[in-house]
Amino acid sequence: MENPFELALMTIVSQEYVKKHIVHGTSRWVASPGTMEEVVSLVRLASEYGKSVTPIGALRRLGTLFKDGQAELWIETERLCSIIEYSPEDMVITVGAGMRLCDLQHELLKFNQFLPVDPIGDVDETLGGIVATNAWGPSRALYGTLRDHVIGTRTVLANGDVVRTGGRVVKNVAGYDLTKLLVGSFGSLGVMIEITLRVRPYPTQRTVTLLSGSVADVDRARAELMDATLIPSVFECVNTSLARTLTSSPGTHGALDTGSPLTLAVGCDEPVEGTAFQEGVLRAWSSSYSLEILTFTPEQTAVLWEDYHMTLRTAATVLRVQGKPSTLIEIAGTLLAAVNQERMWLSGCIPAGVLRLFFAADDDAVALVTACVSHLTACGLSLHYEKLPTDHHDFPSVSQEIAIPDSKQTVHRLIYQAFDPAGLFSSTRLGGA
Amino acid sequence: MVTEYVLRKLEEILGASNVHATPGQVKAYECDGYVAFKSLPGAVIFPQSTDEVSHVLKLFSEQRVPYVARGAGTGLSGGATPTRGDVVISLAKMDQLLSLDLENHRAVVQPGFVNLELTKRVAGKSFYYAPDPSSQSVCTIGGNFAENAGGSHCLKYGVTTNHVTAATIVLPDGEIVEVGSSFGDEDGLDLLGLYVGSEGTLGIATEITVKILKKPQAVQTIMALFDRVEDASASVSGFIAAGIIPAACEMMDQLAMQAVDKSRYHVGYPSDVEAVLIVEVDGLEATVRALSKRVMDVCTENHVREVRSAKSEEERALWWSSRKMAFPAIGRISPDYMVQDGVIPRSRLAEVLKRIETISQTSGLRIANVFHAGDGNLHPLICYDSKKGETDIAQDVGRQILELCVDVGGSITGEHGVGIEKIAEMRYQFSQEELTLQQAIRDQLDPKGLCNAGKLIPTPSRCMEMKGAASPSVSSLEQILSASGSPQARLAR
Ligand SMILES: Cc1cc2nc3c(=O)[nH]c(=O)nc-3n(C[C@H](O)[C@H](O)[C@H](O)COP(=O)(O)OP(=O)(O)OC[C@H]3O[C@@H](n4cnc5c(N)ncnc54)[C@H](O)[C@@H]3O)c2cc1C
Ligand SMILES: Cc1cc2nc3c(=O)[nH]c(=O)nc-3n(C[C@H](O)[C@H](O)[C@H](O)COP(=O)(O)OP(=O)(O)OC[C@H]3O[C@@H](n4cnc5c(N)ncnc54)[C@H](O)[C@@H]3O)c2cc1C
């Protein structure tokens, strides 16, 4: 009855930190190490027993893969959640990869600083998880993605070696930038145990203005904003159903005619005088282009983003579309005219050139996703699923394999050869996942 | 040695005029801006397209010919220097702006396109290219890509890696691969992130897509003179504590100020101030005035002797020239000098500068400091006289400073790269396991070890003997920067 691998696991982490699940008749273990040494021992053990490994955070992203994933040992980083070093003066912090993003933000706020990322996900998602997925939200428009904020990691490799990538200083070009490879690697290159981030002063205030109108008018405002010297901290295009939830809180409810097909959310993280100026410019555009305008106070803005996240995090399927900013509004317009948009939310970071479609988990999802995929594919756009429900075999394929050409696949393979020649972490490999 | 066969094949691919192999033709390519090691290339070639580069690398792979890419040769770590009779692949003739999409904030350039040219091309429409190394009037975007170059405005806007969105790379086996994504995110691993800063050791970039930014509405440049270096350092921390991220925050010490004041860019720094800060704030007109007042207030709180903002565009330009021409100006006060590039946590600035001074006193060599104070990127300029046999001392001083940077939690290089120069110090910053992983990646992508081999990652057998083989020549940096950015001028070097 006693499984030798399981027994060995328990010599590394105590029993309470090992859980066994039987999935489709085979055993899978979730182990929660409390130290770097334990992570190393777990990886070595798995390697010795030929068991595949997947690092996990809060399992928000991997919730689905867990059921049909192949990894036999899941290394959970939950207990690696301390602040290792924080130097507010340097605006640099190093934390355990299992730290929750919300806890990190809480610590940083004590020094009036923050990590300017707002990924769409649950409150308990971990830094390891959001870094490994390079997850992002609307503040990408000004601040970029985690790729721009993560300056170093400490990572346990497949052979049990512990390596530091990058460093703890904001500028550093010594050796290859392996940190970049780890960001967005979906746990396929190693277990990140520490993450070093550059953070920023918290803005004196954060506000948002909504501009709603016809596709053509919103597109004009988009062109103006791209060409202006304003500093939009958010530059997001959303559809009617999402705009409706954003204006549902007291004080803003009913203030916007959400019958307009598209709405631009333009954020401002500038001090009061800057915000007033920026709002003035937006107001002028709203009258030139007959757009409806609604400005939010800092308090209302906080509520708006909470509503935004609360709505989108319930999505079961997320589809990403990339293209030139100048084309996105029109793409969104034609798509929304072609499908029943009541059952989906659209949100796109215009300057980054990305639209995301969020679909609720309901009976019509497959049909709706299929309609969107065929419409967008016909426009010649490349698509990717960021999230799929557990039971996703009815969803249309947007095959990543086709998107990644052979020569690039080769480079991927070579890099995996260098990091993980035996394929210990293979179960979550990109492209194959 | 490049064989006759290889030369003939190269001529077939590139045309005879693009293959230089006589000693007279190749002499100018024996080193880059790091002149302590020189060695003649086997040949110098000038491809003009991605396909030509691909054919060349296929040939080199088949014939096992070592090679090194070269942009403008302004690198300061020996990255573009041949070490084993390598063929230098000059990208000087791939210097076109391929496309410009202002509406979507992107430009696509060939690697030999000069950094500052891009800003010049888009300035009329109020755009600019943010990474601004001091060498920007001559260095190429390909060289910036390979070194992940920084600059004065990287404190707020980030370094090259934050501004490149896609690239075409010719792999060491001649295959062509597109990395990154002009918009959105790269699918799969962030290969672009790996390639930027890989110092030309994993392939050759032949097309680069970069972001161009809208110029800020308003800019104010502030100069603050301090009696004590400690006060200047404290001001830098003070800005951050006040929640200000200046667009730029540069420091020069007394020796550096004296040197630039002897050059064409005479500001007239009082001879007894210990440090000057050049701080720039930018953004919306409505906020910049208040920001610059806060910057000045912080300086005042830290006992500044004099602080003021630039009254005109000319004054601002002069201050910046004085900062940007500081490296070459050191040549005016010392027969030889060596530039270091260590990074430290900003909060340790005062302490580290003090220790550098102690190192200077102990060694008897003067050290000037010119640097990106805002991001803790030091550039100690070690003054010495090779004719007096001080080269070894200078190198030892350089090593001590870099080790000091690592000891306080920093890095041996913030923007100039490892190249030949800092290869030994890599062992000080990285563990054997970390070096092994880096080498493993390199071995996979360049299994024959032909692509800028012997640089970046120390291997037990190679490299050490390359250091200190010759002494730097004083005026070379000044020559580099005063050369015009035209292809002819670059070709002539
Ligand atoms: C409803 C919903 C919608 C979402 N939509 C999006 C979206 O549109 N775009 C987007 O980018 N993200 C999206 N996400 C994902 C989410 O923002 C994060 O990716 C996820 O929450 C990460 O946190 P986690 O701790 O739950 O990670 P997990 O789900 O546990 O892991 C996520 C990935 O990271 C890896 N990983 C975790 N920790 C480590 C570590 N320490 N070292 C190495 N690898 C590690 C895992 O192997 C896995 O591949 C969505 C999530 C939800 C719940
Ligand atoms: C006075 C002076 C001031 C400087 N100031 C700064 C500064 O402020 N910030 C900063 O970051 N640097 C600075 N530098 C260093 C140097 O200018 C930069 O490293 C610059 O990026 C090098 O560009 P280059 O075109 O001269 O490249 P080169 O010196 O020709 O080459 C640099 C490296 O890039 C590789 N390479 C070149 N082109 C390609 C390509 N297409 N594909 C692959 N590899 C390639 C070469 O093999 C070499 O390893 C300064 C140099 C001088 C002389």
Side-chain angles (χ1 to χ4, degrees), chain A residues 90, chain B residues 229 232-234 236-237 251 277 344-356 371-378:
Chain A
D90 295 307
Chain B
V229 171
S233 306
V236 176
S237 298
M251 199 193 290
L277 283 183
I344 57 162
R346 181 174 35 224
S347 56
R348 311 286 293 265
L349 205 54
E351 168 197 346
V352 169
L353 290 176
K354 233 191 206 109
R355 285 170 67 183
I356 291 178
F371 59 98
H372 312 300
D375 33 38
N377 188 184
L378 305 180

Side-chain angles (χ1 to χ4, degrees), chain A residues 276-344:
Chain A
F277 172 78
Q278 188 150 310
E279 278 177 13
V281 175
L282 297 179
R283 207 169 286 286
W285 293 344
S286 79
S287 55
S288 335
Y289 302 125
S290 47
L291 294 163
E292 242 199 295
I293 184 165
L294 185 60
T295 58
F296 286 66
T297 63
E299 294 71 34
Q300 290 169 332
T301 301
V303 175
L304 175 141
W305 290 123
E306 222 163 90
D307 291 343
Y308 176 90
H309 284 277
M310 250 165 35
T311 305
L312 296 186
R313 90 169 48 118
T314 62
T317 307
V318 181
L319 194 61
R320 171 161 56 100
V321 189
Q322 304 192 160
K324 290 186 177 185
S326 59
T327 62
L328 292 183
I329 304 279
E330 207 186 305
I331 290 170
T334 56
L335 173 74
L336 295 174
V339 300
N340 172 12
Q341 60 151 314
E342 284 302 312
R343 310 296 303 149
M344 62 185 254

Side-chain angles (χ1 to χ4, degrees), chain B residues 32 68-76 79-80 91 111 132-135 138-152 199-200 203-206 323-324 327-328 372 379 415-416 452 477 480-481:
Chain B
D32 59 9
V68 50
R70 183 179 177 104
T74 67
L76 291 173
L91 296 146
D132 60 339
S134 302
S135 50
V138 276
C139 68
T140 66
I141 292 183
N144 296 166
F145 176 96
E147 299 287 9
N148 191 10
S152 299
E199 302 194 16
I204 297 185
T206 56
R323 159 61 188 91
K324 294 209 169 180
F327 288 6
H372 312 300
H379 290 317
E415 53 184 26
H416 296 169
N452 211 3
L477 292 189
I480 285 173
L481 285 196

Side-chain angles (χ1 to χ4, degrees), chain A residues 54-62 77 97 119-121 125-126 128-130 132-133 135 186-187 190-192 312-313 315 318 356 358 386-387:
Chain A
T54 293
I56 55 173
L59 257 186
R60 292 301 156 213
R61 178 61 161 251
L62 277 180
T77 55
I120 293 147
E125 62 195 7
T126 62
I130 64 164
T133 54
F186 287 81
V191 186
M192 289 184 275
L312 296 186
R313 90 169 48 118
V318 181
R356 289 193 286 195
F358 299 79
E386 287 199 349
K387 195 164 185 282

Side-chain angles (χ1 to χ4, degrees), chain A residues 89-90 140 147-148 161 164 171-173 175-176 226-229 277 322 325-326 352 384 408 412 414, chain B residues 104-105 161-162 183-187 189-190 201 214-215 237 343 346-347 377 411 413 415 434 438:
Chain A
E89 236 186 301
D90 295 307
R140 171 178 190 160
R147 180 184 197 273
D148 304 296
D161 281 355
R164 265 171 312 134
K171 243 171 130 186
N172 176 14
V173 297
Y176 296 135
M226 284 295 284
D227 198 47
T229 49
F277 172 78
Q322 304 192 160
S326 59
H384 304 271
K408 203 158 160 180
H412 271 143
L414 296 174
Chain B
N104 292 304
H105 300 196
T161 194
N162 308 110
F183 300 99
D185 299 308
E186 176 153 17
D187 304 312
L189 295 175
D190 184 358
T201 63
K214 204 70 195 173
K215 272 190 199 161
S237 298
V343 191
R346 181 174 35 224
S347 56
N377 188 184
S411 167
T413 174
E415 53 184 26
E434 288 154 2
Q438 302 204 21

